[in-house]
Amino acid sequence: MSTAYIGSVEACERFPSPETIDKIAGAVGVMPSTLFLERGSPQSAQEAFVQNYGHSLQQELSKRILKDIDDVCRLL
């Protein structure tokens, strides 16, 4: 992964796949949930994840589900 890609993820311009999140966490030697902790804040990893990525993830999942439904309909 390029530094430009990682920077775009940090800036919430891109949303990494679960596999990419695992790779990033592995590369820096932390649990994936640690990547969502806010510095200097008692906020939980789950709250940080929802705040930072919840809407983007919901949109991405909606697109994928609609595509999968469309693919299934084409097969029928």
Side-chain angles (χ1 to χ4, degrees), residues 6-74:
I6 298 297
S8 67
V9 169
E10 289 177 330
C12 297
E13 296 168 353
R14 299 183 82 174
F15 185 78
S17 68
E19 294 83 13
T20 301
I21 292 170
D22 285 339
K23 288 178 185 178
I24 293 169
V28 295
V30 299
M31 296 294 296
S33 61
T34 304
L35 299 175
F36 302 102
L37 292 174
E38 295 290 325
R39 286 190 187 145
S41 169
Q43 188 177 41
S44 74
Q46 182 179 1
E47 290 169 335
F49 179 84
V50 170
Q51 180 181 354
N52 292 328
Y53 296 104
H55 184 68
S56 297
L57 180 59
Q58 184 179 28
Q59 287 179 327
E60 182 62 29
L61 289 175
S62 294
K63 283 191 254 180
R64 291 181 186 186
I65 290 169
L66 289 174
K67 183 189 175 302
D68 289 345
I69 290 170
D70 189 49
D71 290 346
V72 169
C73 288
R74 287 176 202 234

